[in-house]
Amino acid sequence: MSESPQWWRQAAIYQVYLRSFADGDGDGIGDLAGVRARLGYLADLGVDAIWFTPWYPSPMDDGGYDVADFRDIEPTFGTLADAERVLDEARALGLKVIIDIVPNHCSDTHRWFTAALEAGPGSPERQRFWFRDGRGPDGAEPPNNWRSRFGGSAWTRVVEPDGSPGQWYLHLYSSRQPDLNWESREVRAEFEDILRFWFDRGVDGFRIDVADGLVKDPDLPDVEPGDETPFSDQEGVHEIYRAWRRIARSYPAERLLVGEMWLPDLRRSARYLRDDEMHAAFNFDFLVCPWDAGRFREVIDRTLESHEEVGAPPSWVLSNHDVTRPVTRYGRAGDTGFSFADRLHGTPVDRELGTRRARAAALLAMSLPGGIYLYQGEELGLWEIEDIPGELRQDPVWERSDHADPGRDGCRVPMPWSGARPPFGFSGEDAEKEPWLPQPSEWASYTAEAQAIDPGSVLSLYRSGLRLRKLAEGELRWLDQAPGVLAFQRGSFACLLNFAEEPVPLPEHREVLLSSSPLVDGALPADTAVWLRLEGGSR
C-alpha cells in the first residue's frame, strides 16, 4: 500500500504525540531518539504512515502548537539531523512520514511577532498579524467580542515601545498564539517556502492544523455566542490550499495534505477535498457519534456521499490528542457523543463496557472504505486519565477556564511500554526523571510488552485488524439485519456490529475472520463487532 502513488486513499496512519510516545534520553519527555527506537513497533503494528504532532522549537504553552520556528526541531526532541534520520529509517521500514503544520498562528516568541511588538502601530511587521486599536475610552476594550477557543477574550492588549497601553492582537487560542494575517502576501509566501523546506527533506505530507480558520472577515464583526462564521470556513481559504496543492504536485511522488476542520456540515468539509485542494480530512462526525446503530449508519452514509461528490477518499478516526479517549467516552452512560463545549469530565465511566465498545468501534473503523487514523495508545486500550493533580496539568485550557475544564492532558499521558511500574519503559530502565505527566499504576497490564504476548489483548486485535482490513474491497453495501445491528458487505467481506442488548445470530458465512470480543454459541454479543468471509468468497 505504501508504494502506491495514491497510498493515502486506504492508508492506516498512526499519530505520534511526540512528548508522550517514547523518551530516548531519560529526561521524562518523549523525543526523536525514542521514536527511532520504536519504529519497529510501528512497522509490526501494520500501519502505513506516521503523523507527528509539531516537532518545531516552541515554548510549549500549547504542547508545541505555539511554533517559534517552522524550519527547525525543538531541542528537547532532538535536532534537524535526528529528524532526517527518522525519515530515513522510517522509509527503510516502508513507513511514510507526515508532520504537522500550524498556519493559523505562531508563538509569541516567533521572530515575526517580537518584531511586530518592537515596530509599533501601522508598521509592516504588524500587518503579518491582526493588530487593531481597542474600542471605548482610550481603546481599553477589545476590538470585538470574539472569544478564544481556550476560554476568555480572543484579544490581548500590548504595551507599546514607549511604555503606553497600545493595540490589541487577535488569538483564537492561547494569548501566546497570535493569529497570522493571511491577507498578507508575505505570510502566504513564507508558508509556501516552509512546505518546500520539509518536502525537500523527504517529508511525505502535512497535517494542517485549524485548516478552516486562516481567513478572517476583515471587518471583524461582533458575533452571537457560538457563531464562528467570521473566522471559520471563509471562502478565501480555498485559494490558499490550491496553491499548496500545486506545490505538493510539483514533487516526483505527490505529497499529502490532510486537513483538520471541525465543521458542522460534512459537505462543507468535503469542499476542501476537491481535486485541486487537499487530499483528505479528518472525519470528526464519526469520532463524536454516539453509541447508536442508526446514528453511525447516518454518519457513514453522509461521509461516503459527500466524499464521492468530490472524488476524495473518506477517512475514519476515533481519537486524537485533543479528545477524550474512546474507552472512557464509550464507557459513559447515556449519550456518548462528544463536544469541546462539554467533555463530560467526571462523569462515571464503566471501563469494561467502554473497552468492549472501543474494540468494536476499532473493527468498524478499520473495515470502512478509505483511510484510518489511529492515535498512540488507542491500540493498547488506554483510557482517559482524569485525576491528574491540578498543579501538574499543562494544557492552557485548564488555566484559561479558571480550572473549570481540565483540558486535554488526560489523553496525552506518556505511553506504557514495559515493566510493572511507572514509567513503564517510557524513559528506559535507568531514567532518573519522572514522565512529564504521571502514569497510573493500573497500566502495568496494559503495556505494549504485556499485550504483545496476549492473543486476546487490544494490541493483538489491532495488529490482526490492520493486517486483515485489506480483505475489504470495493463499495459498501448495507445488509439487512435485526434492529440495532449495523451490517455491511464489501466484496466477500462483511462487518457486523451489535448495538442491541441481546446476542444475534450471524448470517451464513464461510469463515469468521476476527471478532472484537468472543462470540457466544456462534452468536454476536452486545457491543461486539465481527468480520466474516461470506460464502463464495475466495482466499
Side-chain angles (χ1 to χ4, degrees):
M1 185 180 298
S2 294
E3 298 306 315
S4 166
Q6 294 193 333
W7 58 272
W8 60 83
R9 298 189 72 90
Q10 300 180 72
I13 299 175
Y14 186 99
Q15 180 187 357
V16 168
Y17 188 75
L18 197 46
R19 287 200 298 173
S20 298
F21 186 67
D23 171 18
D25 62 9
D27 66 355
I29 301 172
D31 50 36
L32 290 169
V35 172
R36 289 177 61 204
R38 301 293 183 180
L39 285 173
Y41 168 85
L42 296 175
D44 290 343
L45 182 60
V47 298
D48 302 290
I50 313 166
W51 152 36
F52 285 98
T53 51
W55 57 12
Y56 313 106
S58 168
M60 294 293 164
D61 180 65
D62 183 26
Y65 284 90
D66 47 323
V67 179
D69 183 348
F70 288 91
R71 295 181 181 84
D72 205 351
I73 299 296
E74 164 59 36
T76 305
F77 299 151
T79 65
L80 188 57
D82 291 328
E84 291 171 342
R85 279 191 285 270
V86 168
L87 291 167
D88 290 341
E89 293 176 18
R91 188 178 300 112
L93 291 170
L95 297 169
K96 306 284 188 182
V97 173
I98 300 165
I99 64 173
D100 245 301
I101 192 165
V102 189
N104 181 70
H105 48 262
C106 64
S107 167
D108 61 352
T109 64
H110 190 283
R111 59 186 174 82
W112 274 7
F113 193 72
T114 56
L117 293 179
E118 294 169 0
S123 64
E125 289 84 354
R126 290 204 175 180
Q127 298 307 309
R128 300 165 175 160
F129 301 91
W130 290 93
F131 278 90
R132 292 292 186 273
D133 293 333
R135 299 191 290 195
D138 302 320
E141 298 296 325
N144 65 23
N145 69 348
W146 294 4
R147 304 291 291 174
S148 163
R149 288 167 174 163
F150 284 173
S153 174
W155 295 90
T156 291
R157 197 175 195 185
V158 304
V159 175
E160 299 298 352
D162 64 2
S164 64
Q167 290 187 306
W168 299 72
Y169 67 89
L170 176 67
H171 52 88
L172 290 180
Y173 294 89
S174 163
S175 59
R176 300 200 61 186
Q177 295 168 284
D179 277 41
L180 292 157
N181 179 6
W182 278 81
E183 299 300 317
S184 165
R185 288 291 165 186
E186 191 175 4
V187 170
R188 297 190 182 215
E190 171 74 356
F191 274 86
E192 290 176 9
D193 187 73
I194 290 166
L195 295 183
R196 294 187 181 97
F197 177 89
W198 291 106
F199 284 156
D200 289 346
R201 279 156 181 77
V203 165
D204 297 289
F206 283 96
R207 176 265 191 186
I208 306 165
D209 186 61
V210 197
D212 60 297
L214 278 55
V215 175
K216 278 79 173 175
D217 184 333
D219 293 334
L220 302 176
D222 281 344
V223 296
E224 296 296 324
D227 179 15
E228 297 192 345
T229 306
F231 50 88
S232 173
D233 197 30
Q234 291 276 310
E235 191 62 30
V237 78
H238 297 283
E239 176 189 341
I240 297 167
Y241 298 126
R242 291 186 186 104
W244 287 22
R245 183 67 174 261
R246 288 193 291 271
I247 294 171
R249 282 177 166 160
S250 71
Y251 285 79
E254 184 173 347
R255 309 304 165 90
L256 176 66
L257 301 175
V258 182
E260 181 213 30
M261 295 91 67
W262 284 89
L263 298 178
D265 183 348
L266 269 169
R267 281 188 163 78
R268 296 294 298 181
S269 296
R271 295 176 72 245
Y272 291 76
L273 308 182
R274 291 172 289 194
D275 184 61
D276 60 348
E277 296 188 47
M278 300 181 198
H279 301 82
F282 297 104
N283 186 345
F284 294 122
D285 284 37
F286 186 78
L287 186 154
V288 304
C289 187
W291 193 253
D292 177 83
R295 299 283 291 276
F296 267 102
R297 177 164 176 167
E298 180 184 348
V299 167
I300 292 167
D301 279 338
R302 285 204 317 268
T303 299
L304 296 176
E305 290 167 7
S306 61
H307 285 68
E308 184 177 4
E309 290 174 2
V310 294
S315 62
W316 313 96
V317 57
L318 294 171
S319 62
N320 63 36
H321 64 292
D322 283 332
V323 303
T324 304
R325 285 194 177 274
V327 167
T328 298
R329 198 167 70 243
Y330 292 138
R332 300 196 195 277
D335 190 332
T336 57
F338 166 88
S339 73
F340 277 112
D342 185 3
R343 302 173 195 270
L344 302 176
H345 284 299
T347 305
V349 176
D350 182 337
R351 197 181 298 163
E352 182 179 352
L353 174 64
T355 300
R356 284 179 62 87
R357 289 178 170 179
R359 290 172 64 106
L363 290 198
L364 172 63
M366 283 190 270
S367 60
L368 292 166
I372 181 172
Y373 291 81
L374 317 174
Y375 174 52
Q376 65 181 50
E378 178 183 324
E379 80 281 10
L380 301 180
L382 303 184
W383 56 90
E384 191 84 357
I385 305 305
E386 299 189 286
D387 58 354
I388 298 172
E391 65 273 15
L392 297 181
R393 292 189 178 275
Q394 301 194 28
D395 188 347
V397 172
W398 170 243
E399 292 296 339
R400 289 187 64 86
S401 68
D402 292 326
H403 301 176
D405 186 342
R408 301 158 293 174
D409 289 329
C411 65
R412 301 174 176 184
V413 174
M415 287 271 285
W417 290 102
S418 60
R421 61 184 62 86
F424 297 119
F426 171 72
S427 298
E429 300 302 325
D430 301 321
E432 295 183 0
K433 290 195 174 182
E434 296 294 324
W436 69 280
L437 284 175
Q439 301 159 307
S441 58
E442 299 99 304
W443 277 3
S445 57
Y446 287 81
T447 66
E449 179 183 63
Q451 294 198 43
I453 58 174
D454 178 3
S457 69
V458 179
L459 177 58
S460 293
L461 179 75
Y462 268 78
R463 285 178 171 174
S464 297
L466 290 168
R467 174 174 54 86
L468 293 170
R469 69 186 288 263
K470 300 173 179 64
L471 298 176
E473 297 179 340
E475 295 183 0
L476 181 149
R477 182 170 66 86
W478 293 109
L479 300 174
D480 291 331
Q481 289 293 309
V485 177
L486 194 70
F488 59 85
Q489 177 178 353
R490 296 182 61 202
S492 62
F493 173 98
C495 175
L496 287 78
L497 199 165
N498 184 11
F499 290 86
E501 295 181 1
E502 299 298 325
V504 295
L506 298 179
E508 290 189 10
H509 59 277
R510 180 178 176 183
E511 180 184 1
V512 173
L513 297 168
L514 188 62
S515 62
S516 61
S517 297
L519 303 179
V520 178
D521 296 327
L524 185 65
D527 302 314
T528 302
V530 66
W531 289 357
L532 303 175
R533 192 193 303 273
L534 300 180
E535 294 291 344
S538 58
R539 290 189 179 274

mmCIF file of all heavy atoms in Angstrom, residues 7 45 49 70 97 107 141 173 184 193 209 253 257 269 310 326 348 350 362 373 399 441 455 461 479:
data_model
loop_
_atom_site.group_PDB
_atom_site.id
_atom_site.type_symbol
_atom_site.label_atom_id
_atom_site.label_comp_id
_atom_site.label_asym_id
_atom_site.label_seq_id
_atom_site.Cartn_x
_atom_site.Cartn_y
_atom_site.Cartn_z
ATOM 1 N N TRP A 7 -1.265 6.222 -2.136
ATOM 2 C CA TRP A 7 -1.243 5.335 -0.974
ATOM 3 C C TRP A 7 -2.188 5.799 0.128
ATOM 4 O O TRP A 7 -2.696 5.000 0.905
ATOM 5 C CB TRP A 7 0.193 5.249 -0.423
ATOM 6 C CG TRP A 7 0.760 6.568 -0.042
ATOM 7 C CD1 TRP A 7 1.434 7.441 -0.834
ATOM 8 C CD2 TRP A 7 0.685 7.194 1.244
ATOM 9 N NE1 TRP A 7 1.787 8.562 -0.137
ATOM 10 C CE2 TRP A 7 1.344 8.447 1.142
ATOM 11 C CE3 TRP A 7 0.134 6.822 2.473
ATOM 12 C CZ2 TRP A 7 1.461 9.317 2.216
ATOM 13 C CZ3 TRP A 7 0.252 7.687 3.548
ATOM 14 C CH2 TRP A 7 0.913 8.914 3.420
ATOM 15 N N LEU A 45 3.071 -3.199 13.952
ATOM 16 C CA LEU A 45 1.648 -2.927 14.162
ATOM 17 C C LEU A 45 0.880 -3.020 12.851
ATOM 18 O O LEU A 45 -0.271 -3.476 12.827
ATOM 19 C CB LEU A 45 1.480 -1.547 14.792
ATOM 20 C CG LEU A 45 0.066 -1.094 15.135
ATOM 21 C CD1 LEU A 45 -0.589 -2.036 16.136
ATOM 22 C CD2 LEU A 45 0.084 0.338 15.670
ATOM 23 N N ALA A 49 1.850 4.782 7.723
ATOM 24 C CA ALA A 49 2.480 6.088 7.870
ATOM 25 C C ALA A 49 2.409 6.536 9.314
ATOM 26 O O ALA A 49 1.579 6.061 10.098
ATOM 27 C CB ALA A 49 1.795 7.119 6.965
ATOM 28 N N PHE A 70 9.473 27.438 12.204
ATOM 29 C CA PHE A 70 8.892 26.355 11.416
ATOM 30 C C PHE A 70 9.928 25.572 10.616
ATOM 31 O O PHE A 70 9.554 24.648 9.887
ATOM 32 C CB PHE A 70 7.838 26.917 10.452
ATOM 33 C CG PHE A 70 6.565 27.362 11.120
ATOM 34 C CD1 PHE A 70 6.412 28.667 11.562
ATOM 35 C CD2 PHE A 70 5.513 26.477 11.302
ATOM 36 C CE1 PHE A 70 5.232 29.082 12.164
ATOM 37 C CE2 PHE A 70 4.334 26.879 11.908
ATOM 38 C CZ PHE A 70 4.193 28.188 12.338
ATOM 39 N N VAL A 97 6.035 9.436 6.371
ATOM 40 C CA VAL A 97 6.060 10.364 7.499
ATOM 41 C C VAL A 97 5.312 11.641 7.121
ATOM 42 O O VAL A 97 5.608 12.280 6.115
ATOM 43 C CB VAL A 97 7.497 10.711 7.931
ATOM 44 C CG1 VAL A 97 7.485 11.801 8.997
ATOM 45 C CG2 VAL A 97 8.203 9.469 8.464
ATOM 46 N N SER A 107 3.973 31.211 17.730
ATOM 47 C CA SER A 107 4.259 31.550 19.126
ATOM 48 C C SER A 107 4.511 33.044 19.267
ATOM 49 O O SER A 107 4.963 33.716 18.327
ATOM 50 C CB SER A 107 5.491 30.784 19.595
ATOM 51 O OG SER A 107 5.978 31.299 20.820
ATOM 52 N N GLU A 141 -11.106 48.671 25.511
ATOM 53 C CA GLU A 141 -11.932 47.493 25.290
ATOM 54 C C GLU A 141 -11.461 46.766 24.042
ATOM 55 O O GLU A 141 -10.992 47.383 23.084
ATOM 56 C CB GLU A 141 -13.398 47.892 25.139
ATOM 57 C CG GLU A 141 -13.996 48.563 26.363
ATOM 58 C CD GLU A 141 -14.027 47.639 27.558
ATOM 59 O OE1 GLU A 141 -14.234 46.419 27.367
ATOM 60 O OE2 GLU A 141 -13.836 48.130 28.690
ATOM 61 N N TYR A 173 -6.715 31.117 20.057
ATOM 62 C CA TYR A 173 -6.346 30.109 21.064
ATOM 63 C C TYR A 173 -5.656 30.830 22.222
ATOM 64 O O TYR A 173 -6.150 31.827 22.713
ATOM 65 C CB TYR A 173 -5.500 29.009 20.408
ATOM 66 C CG TYR A 173 -6.333 28.238 19.396
ATOM 67 C CD1 TYR A 173 -6.401 28.651 18.065
ATOM 68 C CD2 TYR A 173 -7.100 27.148 19.785
ATOM 69 C CE1 TYR A 173 -7.203 27.973 17.148
ATOM 70 C CE2 TYR A 173 -7.909 26.465 18.883
ATOM 71 C CZ TYR A 173 -7.956 26.885 17.566
ATOM 72 O OH TYR A 173 -8.761 26.229 16.664
ATOM 73 N N SER A 184 -1.916 38.931 4.113
ATOM 74 C CA SER A 184 -0.545 39.339 3.821
ATOM 75 C C SER A 184 0.097 38.379 2.823
ATOM 76 O O SER A 184 0.174 37.168 3.072
ATOM 77 C CB SER A 184 0.282 39.372 5.117
ATOM 78 O OG SER A 184 1.657 39.421 4.844
ATOM 79 N N ASP A 193 7.151 28.480 1.270
ATOM 80 C CA ASP A 193 8.571 28.135 1.390
ATOM 81 C C ASP A 193 8.795 27.082 2.475
ATOM 82 O O ASP A 193 9.642 26.188 2.326
ATOM 83 C CB ASP A 193 9.384 29.387 1.695
ATOM 84 C CG ASP A 193 10.877 29.120 1.665
ATOM 85 O OD1 ASP A 193 11.420 28.944 0.552
ATOM 86 O OD2 ASP A 193 11.508 29.062 2.746
ATOM 87 N N ASP A 209 -3.213 22.061 10.736
ATOM 88 C CA ASP A 209 -3.942 22.410 11.946
ATOM 89 C C ASP A 209 -4.898 23.574 11.675
ATOM 90 O O ASP A 209 -4.555 24.528 10.970
ATOM 91 C CB ASP A 209 -2.935 22.803 13.032
ATOM 92 C CG ASP A 209 -3.561 23.038 14.372
ATOM 93 O OD1 ASP A 209 -4.167 22.101 14.915
ATOM 94 O OD2 ASP A 209 -3.452 24.171 14.886
ATOM 95 N N ALA A 253 6.948 12.240 -6.342
ATOM 96 C CA ALA A 253 5.874 11.493 -5.692
ATOM 97 C C ALA A 253 5.023 12.526 -4.957
ATOM 98 O O ALA A 253 5.479 13.153 -3.999
ATOM 99 C CB ALA A 253 6.437 10.466 -4.717
ATOM 100 N N LEU A 257 -1.712 16.299 1.681
ATOM 101 C CA LEU A 257 -2.237 17.379 2.508
ATOM 102 C C LEU A 257 -3.497 16.879 3.197
ATOM 103 O O LEU A 257 -4.464 16.485 2.537
ATOM 104 C CB LEU A 257 -2.566 18.606 1.657
ATOM 105 C CG LEU A 257 -1.410 19.216 0.853
ATOM 106 C CD1 LEU A 257 -1.922 20.345 -0.032
ATOM 107 C CD2 LEU A 257 -0.304 19.723 1.777
ATOM 108 N N SER A 269 -16.975 20.396 4.657
ATOM 109 C CA SER A 269 -15.630 19.820 4.803
ATOM 110 C C SER A 269 -15.144 19.240 3.482
ATOM 111 O O SER A 269 -13.974 19.383 3.108
ATOM 112 C CB SER A 269 -15.634 18.737 5.876
ATOM 113 O OG SER A 269 -15.939 19.267 7.142
ATOM 114 N N VAL A 310 -16.823 14.647 -4.523
ATOM 115 C CA VAL A 310 -15.576 15.325 -4.898
ATOM 116 C C VAL A 310 -14.462 14.349 -5.264
ATOM 117 O O VAL A 310 -13.330 14.763 -5.528
ATOM 118 C CB VAL A 310 -15.106 16.257 -3.753
ATOM 119 C CG1 VAL A 310 -16.087 17.395 -3.564
ATOM 120 C CG2 VAL A 310 -14.901 15.494 -2.455
ATOM 121 N N PRO A 326 -11.420 6.796 23.534
ATOM 122 C CA PRO A 326 -12.644 6.023 23.291
ATOM 123 C C PRO A 326 -13.077 5.146 24.449
ATOM 124 O O PRO A 326 -14.279 5.013 24.706
ATOM 125 C CB PRO A 326 -12.291 5.184 22.054
ATOM 126 C CG PRO A 326 -11.214 5.931 21.364
ATOM 127 C CD PRO A 326 -10.429 6.607 22.451
ATOM 128 N N PRO A 348 -19.349 9.356 35.536
ATOM 129 C CA PRO A 348 -18.944 7.970 35.813
ATOM 130 C C PRO A 348 -18.659 7.183 34.529
ATOM 131 O O PRO A 348 -19.326 7.377 33.507
ATOM 132 C CB PRO A 348 -20.155 7.394 36.551
ATOM 133 C CG PRO A 348 -20.806 8.582 37.180
ATOM 134 C CD PRO A 348 -20.607 9.716 36.219
ATOM 135 N N ASP A 350 -17.894 3.225 33.004
ATOM 136 C CA ASP A 350 -17.817 1.768 33.093
ATOM 137 C C ASP A 350 -16.705 1.348 32.135
ATOM 138 O O ASP A 350 -16.918 1.230 30.933
ATOM 139 C CB ASP A 350 -19.159 1.148 32.699
ATOM 140 C CG ASP A 350 -19.177 -0.369 32.806
ATOM 141 O OD1 ASP A 350 -18.096 -0.988 32.752
ATOM 142 O OD2 ASP A 350 -20.286 -0.935 32.904
ATOM 143 N N ALA A 362 -13.238 -0.021 16.786
ATOM 144 C CA ALA A 362 -11.993 -0.133 16.021
ATOM 145 C C ALA A 362 -12.185 -1.016 14.792
ATOM 146 O O ALA A 362 -11.740 -0.673 13.690
ATOM 147 C CB ALA A 362 -10.885 -0.685 16.910
ATOM 148 N N TYR A 373 -7.131 6.755 10.817
ATOM 149 C CA TYR A 373 -6.120 7.398 11.647
ATOM 150 C C TYR A 373 -6.222 6.855 13.062
ATOM 151 O O TYR A 373 -7.309 6.818 13.641
ATOM 152 C CB TYR A 373 -6.323 8.918 11.648
ATOM 153 C CG TYR A 373 -6.012 9.545 10.311
ATOM 154 C CD1 TYR A 373 -6.962 9.518 9.288
ATOM 155 C CD2 TYR A 373 -4.783 10.128 10.054
ATOM 156 C CE1 TYR A 373 -6.681 10.074 8.039
ATOM 157 C CE2 TYR A 373 -4.489 10.686 8.820
ATOM 158 C CZ TYR A 373 -5.445 10.655 7.818
ATOM 159 O OH TYR A 373 -5.161 11.192 6.589
ATOM 160 N N GLU A 399 -5.977 26.600 32.814
ATOM 161 C CA GLU A 399 -5.845 27.914 33.440
ATOM 162 C C GLU A 399 -6.831 28.917 32.851
ATOM 163 O O GLU A 399 -7.441 29.706 33.572
ATOM 164 C CB GLU A 399 -4.411 28.430 33.284
ATOM 165 C CG GLU A 399 -3.385 27.626 34.078
ATOM 166 C CD GLU A 399 -3.597 27.715 35.585
ATOM 167 O OE1 GLU A 399 -4.254 28.668 36.056
ATOM 168 O OE2 GLU A 399 -3.114 26.821 36.303
ATOM 169 N N SER A 441 -0.696 3.484 37.943
ATOM 170 C CA SER A 441 -0.093 2.170 38.193
ATOM 171 C C SER A 441 -0.902 1.049 37.547
ATOM 172 O O SER A 441 -0.359 -0.013 37.236
ATOM 173 C CB SER A 441 0.014 1.927 39.698
ATOM 174 O OG SER A 441 -1.270 2.002 40.319
ATOM 175 N N PRO A 455 -2.940 -13.029 23.078
ATOM 176 C CA PRO A 455 -3.747 -13.027 21.848
ATOM 177 C C PRO A 455 -5.102 -12.348 22.006
ATOM 178 O O PRO A 455 -5.726 -11.983 21.016
ATOM 179 C CB PRO A 455 -3.904 -14.513 21.532
ATOM 180 C CG PRO A 455 -3.657 -15.227 22.816
ATOM 181 C CD PRO A 455 -2.668 -14.392 23.567
ATOM 182 N N LEU A 461 -5.625 -7.365 18.802
ATOM 183 C CA LEU A 461 -6.782 -7.080 17.947
ATOM 184 C C LEU A 461 -6.405 -6.083 16.859
ATOM 185 O O LEU A 461 -6.751 -6.267 15.677
ATOM 186 C CB LEU A 461 -7.922 -6.525 18.799
ATOM 187 C CG LEU A 461 -9.194 -6.158 18.023
ATOM 188 C CD1 LEU A 461 -9.954 -7.414 17.614
ATOM 189 C CD2 LEU A 461 -10.088 -5.239 18.856
ATOM 190 N N LEU A 479 -26.377 -4.525 4.691
ATOM 191 C CA LEU A 479 -27.074 -5.800 4.807
ATOM 192 C C LEU A 479 -28.227 -5.661 5.794
ATOM 193 O O LEU A 479 -28.107 -4.984 6.819
ATOM 194 C CB LEU A 479 -26.111 -6.895 5.301
ATOM 195 C CG LEU A 479 -24.880 -7.173 4.423
ATOM 196 C CD1 LEU A 479 -23.966 -8.176 5.132
ATOM 197 C CD2 LEU A 479 -25.298 -7.688 3.052
#
